[in-house]
């Protein structure tokens, strides 16, 4: 394994290089990758490390393509990591700059190249450090180029906006050229952090430093107030979540005193919002065992006024017996089903998703999603309702699954209402939710 293995990284750049090497070798999920950060790194350096890693992975395709144009063979992992990080620093510098090179640009490029070479000297051979020096200066010309023309090919769009070609082709076929361009531009922007202020007797008014949004109860978090946000989340006054999460709960419209089943509840964002919306009642949260279950329990422990029953089980196998053994009902007036999906609507937040997806994943997800909604629908009482929800904007995972379910239900369910959020229009993450009512 080609790994820097820093026992205690000296700074953010050192730590980011180590994590980038690990990602190149293992393609870990970004949250798992950041979990590898060693203790001893100050909070400011940890935040900078995260920004470096996110920027590098967000623009990986563009930087890597530029690197490959200037090397005869792929450099080993630690050299490649240095080049990728330097490439992101160049993009970060050129973003928002006026067209054309200036003396200030030349000076900044020289500093980025010098810094990369010094890092390479400490981690690689003299010849590899020389390669870094030559390549970084060539990267500057490639990465200072402006965006492609409006009618660019899928290949050109994919490289510049750092997405797999098949994904761009898929979006062009489904959404058209203009919407695809807007989606690509959206995904490449750093994501704001939003929180929901949980109205309640102990919450009090939201702090004045939170930035109000167009979505009631949701606020944007200024970067300088991270420590304060952590405190409000820890004591239950706030919950970190994107405004898109409200769509499914608004469709379900749980009411005070109702009994609700959340059939895929982890990590708990929609479950907590459902409980907060109800105020009183009974929430049964079902999901698989594992690390996500721990987060679910932590999050639901902050719910008050609503009885919460957490049931560990597989919705596709033996869920009814697990729910019965927990003393919970097996029929519900309201069921929430937020299914596992491709996450292609939340790529601005989950910068690594596009590099983990493959063309066959959409049909694989759709098959599992259909099985999940069929199973979850068996818990809906006569006259009750179920909300099928994804954080995907792909029709195959949304209307395709719902249409297939309605056909198989043979008139037992009807589609009452639906909402599909595409990020370039809504201004927040992509999501879809469908309200299905049991007719017989």
């Amino acid at each position: 394994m080609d790994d820097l293995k820093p026992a205690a990284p000296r700074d953010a750049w050192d730590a980011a290089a180590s994590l980038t090497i690990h990602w190149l070798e293992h393609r870990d999920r970004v949250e798992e990758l950041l979990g590898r950060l060693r203790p001893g790194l100050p909070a400011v350096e940890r935040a900078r490390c995260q920004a470096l890693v996110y920027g590098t992975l967000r623009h990986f395709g563009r930087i890597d393509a530029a690197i490959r144009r200037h090397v005869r063979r792929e450099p080993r992992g630690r050299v490649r990591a240095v080049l990728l990080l330097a490439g992101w620093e160049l993009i970060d510098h050129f973003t928002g700059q006026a067209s054309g090179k200036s003396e200030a640009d030349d000076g900044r490029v020289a500093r980025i190249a010098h810094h990369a070479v010094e890092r390479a000297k400490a981690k690689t051979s003299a010849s590899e450090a020389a390669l870094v020096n030559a390549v970084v200066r060539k990267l500057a010309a490639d990465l200072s180029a402006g965006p492609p023309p409006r009618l660019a090919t899928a290949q050109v769009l994919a490289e510049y906006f750092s997405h797999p070609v098949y994904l761009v082709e898929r979006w062009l076929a489904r959404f058209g050229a203009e919407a695809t361009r807007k989606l690509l531009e959206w995904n490449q922007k750093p994501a704001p952090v939003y929180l929901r202020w949980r109205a309640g007797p102990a919450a009090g008014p939201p702090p004045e430093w939170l930035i109000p949004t167009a979505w009631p109860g949701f606020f944007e978090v200024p970067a300088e107030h991270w420590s304060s946000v952590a405190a409000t989340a820890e004591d239950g006054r706030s919950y970190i979540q994107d405004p898109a999460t409200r769509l499914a709960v608004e469709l379900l419209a749980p009411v005070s005193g109702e009994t609700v089943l959340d059939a895929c509840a982890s990590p708990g964002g929609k479950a907590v919002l459902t409980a907060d919306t109800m105020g009183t009642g009974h929430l049964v949260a079902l999901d698989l065992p594992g690390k996500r279950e721990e987060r679910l329990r932590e999050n639901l422990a902050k719910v008050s006024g609503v009885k919460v029953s957490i049931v560990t089980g597989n919705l596709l196998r033996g869920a009814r017996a697990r729910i019965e053994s927990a003393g919970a009902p097996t029929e519900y007036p309201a069921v929430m089903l937020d299914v596992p999906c491709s996450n292609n609507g939340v790529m601005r937040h989950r910068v690594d998703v596009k590099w983990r997806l493959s063309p066959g994943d959409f049909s694989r997800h759709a098959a599992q999603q259909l099985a999940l909604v069929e199973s979850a629908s068996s818990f809906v009482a006569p006259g009750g309702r179920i909300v099928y929800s994804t954080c995907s904007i792909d029709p195959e995972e949304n209307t395709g699954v719902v249409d297939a379910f309605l056909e198989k239900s043979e008139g037992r369910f009807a589609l009452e209402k639906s909402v599909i959020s595409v990020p370039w229009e809504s201004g927040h993450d992509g999501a879809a939710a469908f309200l299905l009512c049991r007719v017989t």
Side-chain angles (χ1 to χ4, degrees), residues 170-176 183 342 344-345 362-363 365-366 369 388 390-404 420 422 424 431-432 434:
R170 186 180 183 93
W171 288 341
L172 286 169
R174 281 157 174 75
F175 304 130
L183 177 56
S342 65
N344 69 87
F362 293 94
S363 58
H365 279 301
Q369 289 155 354
Y388 170 78
T390 76
C391 55
S392 169
I393 57 173
D394 195 279
E396 188 170 357
E397 296 183 90
N398 292 321
T399 52
V401 171
V402 171
D403 289 346
I420 298 177
V422 289
W424 63 90
F434 301 82

Side-chain angles (χ1 to χ4, degrees), residues 148-159 165 168-169 172 184:
R150 307 304 296 182
L151 298 179
T153 65
Q155 179 71 47
V156 170
L157 290 170
E159 179 177 319
V165 176
V168 176
E169 292 173 340
L172 286 169
L184 292 169

Side-chain angles (χ1 to χ4, degrees), residues 152-296:
T153 65
Q155 179 71 47
V156 170
L157 290 170
E159 179 177 319
Y160 183 85
F161 291 108
S162 288
H163 283 67
V165 176
Y166 82 86
L167 202 52
V168 176
E169 292 173 340
R170 186 180 183 93
W171 288 341
L172 286 169
R174 281 157 174 75
F175 304 130
E178 183 178 354
T180 297
R181 178 71 170 241
K182 290 178 180 178
L183 177 56
L184 292 169
E185 291 171 346
W186 171 273
N187 286 347
Q188 292 308 97
K189 296 176 182 176
V193 176
Y194 294 106
L195 66 73
R196 179 174 61 87
W197 192 255
R198 300 179 63 204
E208 292 184 359
W209 44 261
L210 286 174
I211 303 170
T213 71
W215 311 287
F218 287 86
F219 298 85
E220 186 176 340
V221 180
E224 65 270 20
H225 285 282
W226 263 109
S227 59
S228 301
V229 165
T232 66
E234 182 64 28
D235 63 24
R237 286 178 291 162
S238 70
Y239 192 95
I240 305 294
Q241 61 187 144
D242 191 88
T245 58
R246 80 193 195 284
L247 298 175
V249 179
E250 288 177 355
L251 268 193
L252 188 67
V255 298
S256 180
E258 202 164 33
T259 301
V260 177
L261 171 65
D262 189 335
C264 287
S266 298
K270 291 183 177 67
V272 173
L273 179 53
T274 298
D276 288 351
T277 303
M278 293 163 62
T280 63
H282 186 189
L283 175 67
V284 179
L286 171 73
D287 216 319
L288 298 167
K291 291 182 180 180
R292 285 165 59 88
E293 181 195 356
E294 297 173 14
R295 286 188 61 196
L296 176 65

Side-chain angles (χ1 to χ4, degrees), residues 333-345:
V335 174
M336 171 68 72
L337 181 67
D338 186 44
V339 295
C341 69
S342 65
N343 296 137
N344 69 87

Side-chain angles (χ1 to χ4, degrees), residues 330-333 335 376-382 384-386 412-413 438:
T330 55
E331 282 196 339
Y332 295 83
V335 174
S377 69
S378 70
F379 293 96
V380 179
R385 64 206 188 276
I386 179 173
R412 290 181 60 246
F413 284 84
R438 181 172 168 182

